[in-house]
Tab-separated table of all heavy atoms in Angstrom:
chain	number	residue	atom	x	y	z
B	153	GLY	N	-16.743	14.240	17.615
B	153	GLY	CA	-17.864	15.101	17.258
B	153	GLY	C	-19.042	14.372	16.644
B	153	GLY	O	-19.666	14.874	15.702
B	154	LEU	N	-19.371	13.196	17.187
B	154	LEU	CA	-20.462	12.410	16.624
B	154	LEU	C	-21.819	13.042	16.894
B	154	LEU	O	-22.049	13.648	17.947
B	154	LEU	CB	-20.426	10.992	17.205
B	154	LEU	CG	-19.215	10.159	16.817
B	154	LEU	CD1	-19.175	8.876	17.632
B	154	LEU	CD2	-19.219	9.833	15.329
B	155	ARG	N	-22.703	12.845	15.924
B	155	ARG	CA	-24.066	13.346	16.036
B	155	ARG	C	-25.051	12.187	15.963
B	155	ARG	O	-24.762	11.167	15.329
B	155	ARG	CB	-24.355	14.354	14.916
B	155	ARG	CG	-23.493	15.606	14.984
B	155	ARG	CD	-23.774	16.543	13.830
B	155	ARG	NE	-23.244	16.047	12.577
B	155	ARG	CZ	-22.002	16.280	12.136
B	155	ARG	NH1	-21.155	16.964	12.883
B	155	ARG	NH2	-21.610	15.805	10.968
B	156	PRO	N	-26.224	12.335	16.586
B	156	PRO	CA	-27.227	11.270	16.537
B	156	PRO	C	-27.566	10.886	15.095
B	156	PRO	O	-27.705	11.757	14.229
B	156	PRO	CB	-28.442	11.894	17.239
B	156	PRO	CG	-27.848	12.903	18.168
B	156	PRO	CD	-26.663	13.474	17.434
B	157	GLY	N	-27.647	9.598	14.857
B	157	GLY	CA	-27.992	9.100	13.529
B	157	GLY	C	-26.823	8.819	12.625
B	157	GLY	O	-27.006	8.271	11.527
B	158	GLU	N	-25.595	9.146	13.053
B	158	GLU	CA	-24.438	8.905	12.196
B	158	GLU	C	-24.007	7.444	12.250
B	158	GLU	O	-24.354	6.687	13.157
B	158	GLU	CB	-23.275	9.818	12.595
B	158	GLU	CG	-23.509	11.274	12.231
B	158	GLU	CD	-22.254	12.104	12.326
B	158	GLU	OE1	-21.555	12.014	13.363
B	158	GLU	OE2	-21.972	12.842	11.374
B	159	VAL	N	-23.212	7.074	11.246
B	159	VAL	CA	-22.616	5.740	11.164
B	159	VAL	C	-21.128	5.894	11.421
B	159	VAL	O	-20.461	6.711	10.770
B	159	VAL	CB	-22.862	5.100	9.779
B	159	VAL	CG1	-22.216	3.714	9.715
B	159	VAL	CG2	-24.351	5.016	9.480
B	174	LEU	N	-19.291	4.880	21.626
B	174	LEU	CA	-19.663	5.285	20.275
B	174	LEU	C	-21.149	5.029	20.028
B	174	LEU	O	-21.853	5.861	19.434
B	174	LEU	CB	-18.833	4.527	19.248
B	174	LEU	CG	-17.334	4.814	19.209
B	174	LEU	CD1	-16.623	3.804	18.309
B	174	LEU	CD2	-17.052	6.239	18.736
B	175	ALA	N	-21.628	3.869	20.477
B	175	ALA	CA	-23.034	3.519	20.274
B	175	ALA	C	-23.956	4.494	20.994
B	175	ALA	O	-25.028	4.858	20.475
B	175	ALA	CB	-23.284	2.090	20.747
B	176	ARG	N	-23.564	4.939	22.167
B	176	ARG	CA	-24.379	5.918	22.891
B	176	ARG	C	-24.355	7.271	22.190
B	176	ARG	O	-25.371	7.988	22.152
B	176	ARG	CB	-23.871	6.057	24.327
B	176	ARG	CG	-24.174	4.843	25.197
B	176	ARG	CD	-23.920	5.150	26.663
B	176	ARG	NE	-22.500	5.335	26.930
B	176	ARG	CZ	-21.688	4.363	27.332
B	176	ARG	NH1	-22.154	3.122	27.496
B	176	ARG	NH2	-20.411	4.589	27.582
B	177	ALA	N	-23.192	7.630	21.620
B	177	ALA	CA	-23.058	8.952	20.996
B	177	ALA	C	-23.919	9.111	19.748
B	177	ALA	O	-24.476	10.175	19.505
B	177	ALA	CB	-21.593	9.217	20.662
B	178	VAL	N	-24.038	8.056	18.929
B	178	VAL	CA	-24.817	8.172	17.688
B	178	VAL	C	-26.282	7.788	17.893
B	178	VAL	O	-27.121	8.045	17.028
B	178	VAL	CB	-24.203	7.346	16.541
B	178	VAL	CG1	-22.806	7.847	16.225
B	178	VAL	CG2	-24.163	5.851	16.874
B	179	GLY	N	-26.601	7.176	19.016
B	179	GLY	CA	-27.987	6.910	19.357
B	179	GLY	C	-28.626	5.787	18.570
B	179	GLY	O	-28.016	5.176	17.687
B	180	ALA	N	-29.873	5.533	18.896
B	180	ALA	CA	-30.594	4.392	18.325
B	180	ALA	C	-30.759	4.484	16.821
B	180	ALA	O	-30.918	3.459	16.141
B	180	ALA	CB	-31.962	4.256	18.992
B	181	GLU	N	-30.735	5.693	16.263
B	181	GLU	CA	-30.881	5.867	14.811
B	181	GLU	C	-29.556	5.733	14.078
B	181	GLU	O	-29.524	5.744	12.846
B	181	GLU	CB	-31.506	7.229	14.505
B	181	GLU	CG	-32.876	7.441	15.126
B	181	GLU	CD	-33.857	6.364	14.689
B	181	GLU	OE1	-33.910	6.059	13.480
B	181	GLU	OE2	-34.573	5.822	15.558
B	182	GLY	N	-28.466	5.625	14.815
B	182	GLY	CA	-27.155	5.479	14.200
B	182	GLY	C	-26.724	4.031	14.105
B	182	GLY	O	-27.517	3.099	14.305
B	183	LYS	N	-25.445	3.835	13.796
B	183	LYS	CA	-24.918	2.477	13.666
B	183	LYS	C	-23.416	2.502	13.939
B	183	LYS	O	-22.718	3.473	13.602
B	183	LYS	CB	-25.172	1.921	12.267
B	183	LYS	CG	-24.749	0.469	12.082
B	183	LYS	CD	-25.094	-0.033	10.686
B	183	LYS	CE	-26.595	-0.146	10.501
B	183	LYS	NZ	-26.941	-0.772	9.190
B	209	GLY	N	-31.262	4.218	23.925
B	209	GLY	CA	-30.637	5.272	23.131
B	209	GLY	C	-29.337	4.866	22.489
B	209	GLY	O	-28.568	5.721	22.037
B	211	ALA	N	-26.946	2.756	19.600
B	211	ALA	CA	-26.959	2.224	18.237
B	211	ALA	C	-26.668	0.727	18.244
B	211	ALA	O	-25.973	0.223	19.125
B	211	ALA	CB	-25.914	2.938	17.391
B	231	ASP	N	-19.823	7.858	8.339
B	231	ASP	CA	-19.621	9.295	8.557
B	231	ASP	C	-18.329	9.593	9.297
B	231	ASP	O	-17.765	10.677	9.157
B	231	ASP	CB	-20.797	9.862	9.374
B	231	ASP	CG	-22.128	9.681	8.679
B	231	ASP	OD1	-22.322	10.310	7.624
B	231	ASP	OD2	-22.974	8.906	9.178
B	261	ARG	N	-14.954	12.273	8.694
B	261	ARG	CA	-13.817	12.579	9.551
B	261	ARG	C	-13.278	11.315	10.218
B	261	ARG	O	-13.943	10.279	10.241
B	261	ARG	CB	-14.200	13.619	10.600
B	261	ARG	CG	-15.369	13.212	11.467
B	261	ARG	CD	-16.167	14.435	11.938
B	261	ARG	NE	-17.214	14.023	12.878
B	261	ARG	CZ	-18.405	13.562	12.487
B	261	ARG	NH1	-18.703	13.432	11.205
B	261	ARG	NH2	-19.301	13.215	13.390
Side-chain angles (χ1 to χ4, degrees):
L154 294 170
R155 296 178 287 272
E158 289 193 311
V159 179
L174 294 170
R176 289 192 292 267
V178 299
E181 301 303 314
K183 184 177 292 186
D231 300 293
R261 57 210 185 276

